[in-house]
Amino acid sequence: MSAQEAQDAEGGVGPDPAPAPVEVAPGLLMLPLRSPTLPPATHTNCFLVGDSEAVLVEPASPYPEEIDRVVALVEARRAAGGDVVAILATHHHVDHIGGAVALKERLGLPLFGHALTAERLRGLVSFDRLLEDGERIALGAPGEMTLEAVHTPGHAPGHLCFVDTRSGAMIAGDMVAGVGSILIEPTDGDMAAYLDSLRAMADRRPSMLLPAHGGPIHAVAAKVEQYVSHRLMREEKVFEALRSLQEREREQKRARDGGPEDDGCTPEELVPWAYDDAPPAVYPIAALATEAHLIKLEGDGRVTSAGGRWRVAGAP
Ligand SMILES: [Zn+2]
């Protein structure tokens, strides 16, 4: 199957319920697994990386038949004389870590991830080695293949991307998507950090991005630029919505009782204006993203918050 066909299957275009593994770069096998992810995505890409010695990246799916497929892939590699030595996690979300416990046990492999990922999963999933930004995992004979961990917070605090230093391909987890979009919400996410991480990813000039959802992305600089400018466009819409709703409320109060005060706005109140290009079905998720934008705007000194209500900074 080609990468394009894999992407089509991911997007629900093809009926294939179990897409076959596809070699996206030498020694870099991508296996889309059905997972409990956000629509329109239906699968999370798991990767087997390495030649004589390999690691499994994204133990994504909790579904038994999908775990069986990963086990079969690893067992086939072992039967062919290859070694598989560890499982690597990009971050703690269930559609990325859901198969970790079962795969660790069935394959007898240690699990590696960032300390902030391990912290979020304490009591649920145990990690055997913590990876820091810049840490390298050498695979096989000296010079054969190396994966470098890159800490990319923003979508999740412990998010790691992994660069195959031989091909320059970057396993990008949930930093970008080939299908659907990336949610930045206040519990796990940080919009300012997300934009910084995206720019840092582009600065490394990877040969391609391998997202968790959807096929490989070859036009890396254009994709990252599109992501950053889209978020900044949304940020302005959130700010504009807040400014105009606040102004309207002040005018109404002035007409009623002469008072200049306003109560500020909640993210939910801003959504129909900030997301006037989106269907109401996405409003609950959009409210989370709006709050993430407001937190960034507060860090930039453009808005303030009190008691869950937001106001333009310096407004009367
Ligand atoms: Zn995620």
Side-chain angles (χ1 to χ4, degrees):
M1 180 190 284
S2 74
Q4 183 57 50
E5 282 165 338
Q7 184 164 9
D8 289 346
E10 286 251 45
V13 176
D16 187 357
V22 52
E23 190 170 32
V24 290
L28 219 166
L29 215 55
M30 179 176 102
L31 176 66
L33 302 174
R34 195 169 60 78
S35 72
T37 189
L38 280 180
T42 55
H43 289 65
T44 303
N45 296 321
C46 169
F47 298 89
L48 186 62
V49 186
D51 301 327
S52 65
E53 189 177 67
V55 290
L56 203 58
V57 185
E58 301 273 41
S61 179
Y63 304 136
E65 66 276 18
E66 297 300 276
I67 289 171
D68 286 347
R69 295 175 65 217
V70 178
V71 169
L73 185 72
V74 170
E75 283 177 347
R77 176 65 63 94
R78 285 173 170 169
D83 201 4
V84 180
V85 295
I87 302 170
L88 274 52
T90 60
H91 65 298
H92 70 282
H93 289 155
V94 65
D95 56 326
H96 295 260
I97 202 78
V101 171
L103 287 170
K104 273 184 71 156
E105 194 179 307
R106 287 183 61 182
L107 297 170
L109 292 176
L111 178 64
F112 301 175
H114 193 273
L116 295 172
T117 297
E119 191 182 300
R120 297 254 163 167
L121 293 168
R122 190 170 296 146
L124 296 170
V125 182
S126 62
F127 281 74
D128 303 282
R129 178 176 156 189
L130 300 179
L131 298 174
E132 290 177 17
D133 181 57
E135 208 158 323
R136 287 174 166 239
I137 299 161
L139 298 169
E144 192 176 294
M145 207 165 178
T146 301
L147 272 189
E148 182 182 345
V150 185
H151 186 211
T152 48
H155 170 74
H159 195 286
L160 292 174
C161 292
F162 296 100
V163 177
D164 162 21
T165 59
R166 185 170 69 184
S167 71
M170 179 186 253
I171 295 173
D174 267 353
M175 290 303 291
V176 293
V179 171
S181 59
I182 300 299
L183 175 63
I184 308 298
E185 50 80 37
T187 315
D188 289 336
D190 179 323
M191 191 65 76
Y194 177 65
L195 295 178
D196 287 347
S197 290
L198 278 178
R199 292 182 180 115
M201 285 165 66
D203 286 348
R204 296 182 65 105
R205 298 183 179 278
S207 59
M208 66 174 131
L209 297 176
L210 299 167
H213 311 292
I217 294 162
H218 296 279
V220 174
K223 183 76 170 183
V224 168
E225 174 53 33
Q226 179 199 332
Y227 265 54
V228 171
S229 59
H230 178 78
R231 297 290 171 164
L232 294 177
M233 177 278 288
R234 189 67 68 191
E235 179 179 302
E236 281 314 307
K237 288 191 78 155
V238 167
F239 183 79
E240 240 344 275
L242 181 61
R243 198 191 57 73
S244 54
L245 281 181
Q246 205 176 310
E247 178 62 27
R248 184 188 307 179
E249 192 187 345
R250 264 203 304 277
E251 270 168 23
Q252 284 170 351
K253 280 210 164 183
R254 218 175 280 139
R256 213 167 45 236
D257 52 27
E261 299 87 4
D262 63 79
D263 300 327
C265 296
T266 65
E268 287 76 12
E269 288 164 352
L270 299 176
V271 165
W273 281 267
Y275 285 82
D276 58 359
D277 52 347
V282 307
Y283 283 4
I285 278 179
L288 295 173
T290 296
E291 191 178 348
H293 278 295
L294 289 166
I295 292 168
K296 176 178 178 294
L297 284 164
E298 187 175 35
D300 294 341
R302 298 179 70 193
V303 307
T304 60
S305 68
R309 302 192 73 86
W310 296 81
R311 305 172 82 244
V312 172

